[in-house]
């Protein structure tokens, strides 16, 4: 997944070509390795949907199997315990989301075909930086509205749609044409401690890193040898010489039975997070020549645990609680604060008006 771990741009180490980025599109590699990865469906993304995703206006979620109109009515409720007046005018504002009936129908059909729960992404990226906005803080989606909410809130998705070749070395060549697609993957409960990122140079597996390096997993440290052997066997039997490039990065998942699954393919370059390695190490040959097999790194103690790289994309928890209504007490406090501020403002205006009238009377 390109750009899914944060934008880690380091200049001078890799010469990633636009063709390599094109080859890492999901629809390019999925047919090659379909037997060894999670079941997925691919839907062409219409131009009007792309325009909707890139619209910077107010977030109004479309494509839902729910009501696509949000109505806000500002009036006085005599039965309410707290009489909070948000506006002097009694108005009703209706904001209507754009509709994509044909695309919505195809998407819902695909979601149902995959069991009703999916993991969404575009050609390269998943909206991992936007999971904070989902009510379940997860990328699990049950409807197109869930997907649109994540996509419209994700910088990674925006980068896919606007600048997929930005950090390629062959900038003088024209950008390849991109047919954007919605990728729906059958939802699977993957344990983060079972995910690993593998680096391949000249069709040789040179390095393996724990995928979630922000956490310490005791079993990873204990089973390092078994994990390495399992991934090496998987690579030599199913991946090596079968991909379109000889330099690339692939992500795998090792399940509780020891079976290895392909999760994603990424360009061998700075746009892909090198995790517990550095791109200087990976490209200089330093890692490859240290030992016969691939170098393996994991978080080896709780002391080295690090914060998530996606934290910088999140909003304060209080704001999220208010926006979702999860914490009723925070919402009540917020409304009381707004009422108090409004009353203070009205008192100031009245005092100012009285002072003006007194000055006029004295003159």
């Amino acid at each position: 997944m390109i750009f899914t771990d944060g934008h880690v741009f380091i200049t001078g180490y890799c010469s990633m070509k636009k063709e390599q980025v094109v080859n890492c599109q999901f629809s390019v590699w999925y047919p090659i390795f379909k037997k060894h990865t999670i079941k997925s469906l691919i839907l062409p993304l219409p131009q009007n949907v792309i325009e909707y995703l890139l619209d910077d206006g107010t977030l109004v979620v479309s494509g839902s199997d729910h009501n696509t109109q949000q109505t806000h009515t500002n009036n006085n409720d005599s039965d309410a315990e707290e009489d909070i007046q948000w506006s002097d005018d009694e108005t009703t504002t209706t904001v209507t989301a754009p509709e994509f009936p044909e695309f919505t129908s195809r998407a819902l059909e695909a979601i149902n075909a995959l069991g009703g729960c999916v993991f969404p992404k575009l050609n390269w990226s998943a909206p991992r930086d936007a999971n904070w906005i989902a009510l379940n803080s997860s990328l699990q989606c049950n409807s197109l509205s869930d997907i649109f909410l994540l996509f419209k809130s994700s910088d990674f998705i925006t980068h896919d749609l606007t600048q997929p070749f930005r950090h390629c070395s062959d900038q003088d060549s024209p950008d390849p044409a991109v047919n954007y697609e919605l990728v729906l993957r059958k939802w699977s409960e993957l344990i983060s401690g079972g995910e690993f990122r593998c680096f391949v140079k000249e069709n040789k597996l040179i390095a393996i890193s724990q995928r979630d390096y922000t956490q310490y997993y005791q079993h990873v440290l204990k089973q390092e040898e078994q994990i390495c052997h399992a991934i090496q066997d998987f690579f030599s039997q199913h991946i090596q010489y079968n991909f379109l490039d000889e330099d690339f990065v692939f992500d795998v998942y090792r399940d509780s039975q020891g079976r290895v699954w392909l999760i994603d393919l990424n360009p061998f370059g700075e746009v892909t997070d090198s995790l517990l390695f550095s791109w200087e190490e990976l490209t200089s040959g330093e890692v490859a020549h240290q030992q016969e097999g691939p170098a393996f790194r994991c978080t080896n103690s709780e002391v080295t645990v690090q914060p998530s790289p996606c934290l910088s994309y999140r909003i304060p928890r209080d704001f999220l609680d208010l926006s979702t209504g999860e914490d009723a007490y925070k919402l009540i406090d917020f409304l009381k604060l707004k009422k108090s501020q409004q009353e203070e403002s009205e008192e100031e205006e009245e005092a100012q008006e009285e002072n003006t009238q007194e000055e006029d009377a004295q003159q």
Side-chain angles (χ1 to χ4, degrees):
M1 277 159 276
I2 188 171
F3 303 115
T4 55
D5 294 298
H7 302 272
V8 183
F9 303 134
I10 310 169
T11 59
Y13 297 134
C14 306
S15 297
M16 184 181 64
K17 306 293 185 181
K18 293 178 180 178
E19 183 181 8
Q20 291 177 279
V21 176
V22 170
N23 290 341
C24 286
Q25 292 181 99
F26 187 87
S27 59
V28 173
W29 67 259
Y30 181 70
I32 303 173
F33 304 111
K34 187 175 182 179
K35 293 181 180 179
H36 310 292
T37 190
I38 298 169
K39 182 180 179 181
S40 306
L41 294 173
I42 304 169
L43 302 177
L45 208 58
Q47 183 58 37
N48 59 348
V49 174
I50 295 174
E51 292 171 357
Y52 164 69
L53 293 175
L54 291 174
D55 181 15
D56 288 333
T58 303
L59 176 59
V60 183
V61 179
S62 181
S64 172
D65 45 355
H66 311 298
N67 189 357
T68 57
Q69 289 191 338
Q70 297 178 352
T71 303
H72 307 279
T73 304
N74 299 323
N75 56 8
N76 293 325
D77 187 353
S78 58
D79 296 329
E81 290 185 12
E82 299 286 349
D83 182 16
I84 302 171
Q85 186 69 31
W86 293 95
S87 171
D88 292 332
D89 299 323
E90 295 183 359
T91 59
T92 300
T93 305
T94 301
V95 184
T96 306
E99 288 297 321
F100 317 104
E102 185 177 346
F103 179 71
T104 300
S105 176
R106 293 203 307 271
L108 291 177
E109 184 179 342
I111 292 172
N112 290 331
L114 293 171
C117 297
V118 297
F119 174 95
K121 61 179 292 182
L122 284 188
N123 303 42
W124 297 281
S125 300
R128 292 184 182 273
D129 58 324
N131 65 345
W132 55 266
I133 202 169
L135 289 177
N136 56 359
S137 296
S138 166
L139 296 184
Q140 178 179 336
C141 295
N142 306 96
S143 67
L144 192 56
S145 62
D146 295 340
I147 297 170
F148 280 163
L149 180 63
L150 290 169
F151 278 14
K152 283 184 69 68
S153 307
S154 170
D155 288 344
F156 299 162
I157 295 298
T158 300
H159 196 285
D160 266 17
L161 293 173
T162 59
Q163 305 177 74
F165 307 108
R166 179 183 174 189
H167 294 276
C168 294
S169 60
D170 51 345
Q171 288 297 319
D172 293 338
S173 64
D175 287 350
V178 177
N179 296 317
Y180 284 102
E181 299 156 334
L182 170 63
V183 176
L184 301 176
R185 314 206 69 183
K186 183 180 178 64
W187 180 259
S188 303
E189 292 289 348
L190 303 184
I191 301 171
S192 298
E195 295 182 87
F196 301 91
R197 173 156 290 180
C198 311
F199 301 86
V200 178
K201 187 166 178 59
E202 298 176 356
N203 272 315
K204 178 184 177 182
L205 179 59
I206 62 171
I208 302 171
S209 172
Q210 177 180 319
R211 185 76 167 80
D212 179 16
Y213 63 89
T214 67
Q215 300 296 320
Y216 167 61
Y217 298 99
Q218 192 175 31
H219 75 277
V220 173
L221 195 60
K222 288 182 176 180
Q223 300 175 18
E224 176 181 334
E225 187 175 343
Q226 298 96 306
I227 292 170
C228 278
H229 285 160
I231 293 176
Q232 282 180 279
D233 290 344
F234 178 79
F235 172 70
S236 61
Q237 293 173 18
H238 306 298
I239 307 296
Q240 192 174 29
Y241 305 117
N242 289 327
F243 188 52
L244 301 177
D245 295 314
E246 61 176 16
D247 298 345
F248 57 95
V249 180
F250 67 99
D251 295 334
V252 296
Y253 180 75
R254 183 173 179 264
D255 65 24
S256 58
Q257 305 302 314
R259 181 176 178 180
V260 177
W261 300 83
L262 178 64
I263 299 299
D264 212 344
L265 277 154
N266 314 277
F268 191 88
E270 296 91 337
V271 294
T272 301
D273 196 336
S274 56
L275 303 178
L276 293 173
F277 293 90
S278 71
W279 277 112
E280 184 177 15
E281 289 177 297
L282 294 168
T283 57
S284 65
E286 178 183 343
V287 170
H289 294 119
Q290 283 180 349
Q291 56 195 74
E292 288 186 11
F296 181 88
R297 290 182 186 174
C298 63
T299 302
N300 53 23
S301 74
E302 294 182 0
V303 177
T304 56
V305 168
Q306 304 176 46
S308 168
C310 288
L311 281 177
S312 61
Y313 296 93
R314 299 185 180 183
I315 60 173
R317 180 71 199 182
D318 286 349
F319 185 89
L320 183 60
D321 289 340
L322 286 174
S323 65
T324 61
E326 276 191 20
D327 192 325
Y329 293 105
K330 286 181 182 177
L331 183 59
I332 292 171
D333 289 342
F334 176 72
L335 295 177
K336 287 182 176 179
L337 175 62
K338 293 300 294 183
K339 181 183 179 182
S340 175
Q341 289 175 340
Q342 185 174 0
E343 290 175 347
E344 289 177 2
S345 178
E346 290 174 353
E347 290 175 359
E348 290 176 0
E349 290 177 1
E350 290 176 0
Q352 186 175 3
E353 186 177 348
E354 290 177 0
N355 292 335
T356 303
Q357 290 176 352
E358 290 178 0
E359 290 175 1
D360 291 342
Q362 292 174 358
Q363 290 177 357

